[in-house]
């Protein structure tokens, strides 16, 4: 993702907040990350992404609490 944005030279300024996207702490880290990013000034949007994975590994992104946090986000996600 980063290299694609960098090569495009569209003038984006990215603020990186790495979080786990699988494993025991992933849900908590994603929810805390969304909360933190929504509290910062000067951001235009939040990108939440990961590389591929099996359906089981991607199931976290179907979690109700994460979907709710995205829907209630002050910023577009």
């Amino acid at each position: 993702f980063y290299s694609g944005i960098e090569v495009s030279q569209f003038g984006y300024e990215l603020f990186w907040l790495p979080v786990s996207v699988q494993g025991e702490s992933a849900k908590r880290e994603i929810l805390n990350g969304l909360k933190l990013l929504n509290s910062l000034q000067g951001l235009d949007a939040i990108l939440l992404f990961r590389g591929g994975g099996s359906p089981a590994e991607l199931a976290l992104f179907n979690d109700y609490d994460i979907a709710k946090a995205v829907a209630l986000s002050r910023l577009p996600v």
Side-chain angles (χ1 to χ4, degrees), residues 5-69:
I5 291 290
E6 191 174 59
V7 168
S8 72
Q9 297 182 0
F10 286 133
Y12 293 103
E13 184 178 337
L14 299 175
F15 175 84
W16 287 96
L17 181 66
V19 297
S20 297
V21 292
Q22 65 185 61
E24 263 185 51
S25 65
K27 179 177 176 177
R28 178 179 36 82
E29 289 185 36
I30 292 170
L31 291 173
N32 288 341
L34 288 168
K35 184 177 180 179
L36 172 65
L37 292 171
N38 270 291
S39 73
L40 298 176
Q41 298 301 312
L43 299 180
D44 296 317
I46 296 172
L47 301 168
L48 176 60
F49 63 94
R50 65 164 284 158
S54 70
E57 292 172 327
L58 296 170
L60 176 65
F61 292 93
N62 295 326
D63 179 85
Y64 176 83
D65 294 325
I66 291 177
K68 181 178 176 181

